[in-house]
Amino acid sequence: MSRTSMSRTSSRRRWLRLALASAGSAGGLLALGGSMRSALAQPAAAAGPVREVEVTARRFEYLPNEIVLKAGEPVVLLVRSLDFVHGMNFPVLGLRADLVPGRITRVEIPAQRPGVIDFVCDNFCGDGHEEMHGRLVVRA
């Protein structure tokens, strides 16, 4: 390996160590790839037992497309796609998942404060794709 390529590798490793070390802070999360921390997120200490909610994805809908949660309640969505590799994207939370047919995909939603959190399909699935969305309604 040449001296120049060794120097680049060393610089990349230093940068990666620095980025990983700061990943616990909101600034570190932004530096690592544009992930956003939700303004609605509760501290982890407030989290209670995890509730599981089953969701089905198919062209061009999520069932249910509105999920009501209690504030401070951590939730795991168990999502099953019936027909296509749909995407499930929660832009405000910085979360997304690919939903592979025949598999159950676990999407962990951290405890939240009251409000509405929208989610959308972000893998184009046909003419009704724009209508494939839903929301989490977090109540006090």
Side-chain angles (χ1 to χ4, degrees), residues 24-114:
S25 69
L29 286 173
L30 289 171
L32 280 174
S35 297
M36 295 178 285
R37 296 194 84 178
S38 171
L40 302 173
Q42 293 269 0
V50 177
R51 175 177 152 205
E52 293 183 344
V53 177
E54 293 184 13
V55 178
T56 301
R58 68 176 185 202
R59 287 184 178 102
F60 302 102
E61 63 185 343
Y62 291 102
L63 296 172
N65 67 350
E66 182 173 287
I67 301 166
V68 179
L69 310 176
K70 293 178 189 172
E73 175 183 47
V75 172
V76 173
L77 303 180
L78 304 174
V79 190
R80 178 186 315 265
S81 173
L82 299 180
D83 55 9
F84 185 78
V85 180
H86 295 285
M88 188 174 221
N89 189 344
F90 297 82
V92 170
L93 301 178
L95 294 174
R96 80 159 309 278
D98 285 313
L99 312 174
V100 179
R103 292 186 187 168
I104 294 177
T105 303
R106 295 176 57 89
V107 180
E108 296 181 23
I109 308 295
Q112 300 295 313
R113 292 191 179 122

Side-chain angles (χ1 to χ4, degrees), residues 49 88 110 136 138:
M88 188 174 221
L136 304 176
V138 184

Side-chain angles (χ1 to χ4, degrees), residues 3-25:
R3 185 164 231 234
T4 305
S5 62
M6 283 179 23
S7 175
R8 283 187 203 138
T9 301
S10 178
S11 293
R12 287 181 190 140
R13 286 183 184 151
R14 269 195 307 273
W15 180 86
L16 184 57
R17 277 194 301 271
L18 177 64
L20 290 173
S22 64
S25 69

